[in-house]
Every structure is written in C-alpha cells, then in structure tokens.
Amino acid sequence: FNKIVPMPPSLNISIHNGIIDAVKNSLDMPFHDNELIAGLEQLNRSKTKSALNLNEEEFKLYLTGLKNMKEHGYIYWYDWAIDKWGVKWNATDCESTGNYYDFTTAWSGVPGLIKKMHLACPNVKIIYEFADEDTGCNTGVGLYLNGKMDFEKLENMSVKAYELAFKLNPSSREYYELVDGEYKYIEEAE
C-alpha cells in the first residue's frame, strides 16, 4: 500500500496512549463523534499527565507527534493508515502470478485504495475481491475500468458472501454446509 499512498516516514513511530493523549490535550483536539467513545476519551485524557512530566524519550515522541499533526494532520501511523489505506497495517503475504495479485490485510478490504490505484492507471481492468477471516462476513467484489468503479459490499452471511469467502479461502469450505438456502457451520461431534 505504501507504493500507492506512501506514509510519511515521521509517522512511523511507536507511541503509547499517554503520549497521544498529551498531544491531543496540548492541541485541544475534539473528542470522538460517538458519545460513548467521547466519554471514554474524555476520561482517559483527564488522567493524562502533563507533557512536562514525560520522561526524555517520551517527550521526544510527544514533540514528534506535535510536528506530525502540524505537517500531516496525524499524530502517528495508526490514524493515518486507517484514513489513507482503510486498514491499520500494510499488505502482507503478498504473492503475484502474471496479472494476479493476492495479499492479506488487517480487518477489511481496501476498495478505496484499489480505486486510487485504478485512477492512476484507468485503462487497466481491475477485478477486486476480498473476504474476511470471519467466513461469510465483511466480503466484497469490485470491477474498476476506464475510471469507473462498480463495487459491492456483500451482505454479511448471505450465500453470495459465503461463496466468495470459499472461493478466496477454499480450506474454509469444509466447515460449512448449505441448509435450506443458508450456509451453516458444521458443529464438531463430541
């Protein structure tokens, strides 16, 4: 993903929540839109020690976080990756054969990132399919051609979602059976 949307190197820091909250407090950053998450953030940030009480290494990371916010709009890698790539980590387990590419991501597919790649090469036809490790959930398929995108996120636990998951991860098929038009997990006999 870094070749499609490169992460600024300064964001690639390991930083703990106390430092992140100190940066957010210093910049008087707003809380999350979700009321429950905002309440938790507010509680955590109220317990955060002042940046002046951080040790030397933590203070350097705090300053880097401030600089990152000013230059990139993000404190560190995590929020940037979620926003720019759609997932927290770069692709792993990458394999290619001819024009076929297979890779693993954390959490979900990356249709937005595939769209950016397609817009850079609009005459290249891209067929993109993904399926979560939670078989039958978080699946999707898209066709990108001539600057147009036809993408469908499949309904969780639908026959179509299961069949795409089985196509992309054939070994998962043995654990399911089609019963009355729905896939059911085969319980192991005790």
Side-chain angles (χ1 to χ4, degrees):
F1 303 151
N2 218 22
K3 290 183 179 185
I4 302 167
V5 180
M7 179 184 293
S10 66
L11 290 172
N12 195 14
I13 56 173
S14 293
I15 187 170
H16 63 69
N17 285 339
I19 299 169
I20 295 166
D21 287 343
V23 171
K24 289 179 177 181
N25 285 343
S26 294
L27 298 175
D28 200 25
M29 291 177 69
F31 297 105
H32 198 279
D33 291 337
N34 178 292
E35 190 176 316
L36 179 60
I37 296 171
L40 293 171
E41 282 183 337
Q42 189 172 15
L43 178 64
N44 287 337
R45 284 170 55 181
S46 71
K47 295 178 182 181
T48 298
K49 59 184 173 180
S50 163
L52 298 176
N53 294 328
L54 297 171
N55 67 39
E56 190 172 330
E57 182 180 331
E58 291 172 327
F59 192 74
K60 285 179 186 176
L61 289 169
Y62 164 81
L63 292 175
T64 301
L66 285 173
K67 185 176 179 188
N68 283 340
M69 273 304 295
K70 182 177 180 180
E71 293 178 1
H72 308 294
Y74 302 90
I75 298 170
Y76 74 126
W77 65 269
Y78 180 85
D79 291 330
W80 183 95
I82 297 296
D83 189 42
K84 303 297 184 186
W85 294 342
V87 291
K88 62 181 176 178
W89 294 317
N90 207 342
T92 59
D93 305 324
C94 302
E95 296 179 15
S96 65
T97 307
N99 290 331
Y100 177 83
Y101 297 89
D102 188 15
F103 55 89
T104 301
T105 63
W107 291 344
S108 66
V110 290
L113 194 60
I114 300 299
K115 180 180 179 183
K116 287 178 186 178
M117 184 174 69
H118 172 64
L119 292 175
C121 307
N123 296 326
V124 174
K125 180 180 179 180
I126 299 173
I127 299 170
Y128 176 61
E129 300 172 315
F130 71 89
D132 197 299
E133 63 189 19
D134 184 9
T135 307
C137 295
N138 193 18
T139 60
V141 61
L143 172 64
Y144 302 75
L145 182 60
N146 297 325
K148 295 180 182 174
M149 177 180 90
D150 181 19
F151 175 77
E152 179 185 9
K153 184 146 172 42
L154 304 179
E155 182 181 340
N156 283 345
M157 301 175 69
S158 66
V159 169
K160 201 171 176 182
Y162 275 106
E163 290 178 352
L164 178 59
F166 300 150
K167 175 184 174 186
L168 299 176
N169 185 8
S171 64
S172 65
R173 177 67 181 94
E174 68 182 276
Y175 301 103
Y176 294 87
E177 63 183 340
L178 191 59
V179 178
D180 298 326
E182 294 182 358
Y183 279 100
K184 303 285 184 186
Y185 182 75
I186 301 170
E187 297 290 333
E188 291 184 37
E190 293 192 29

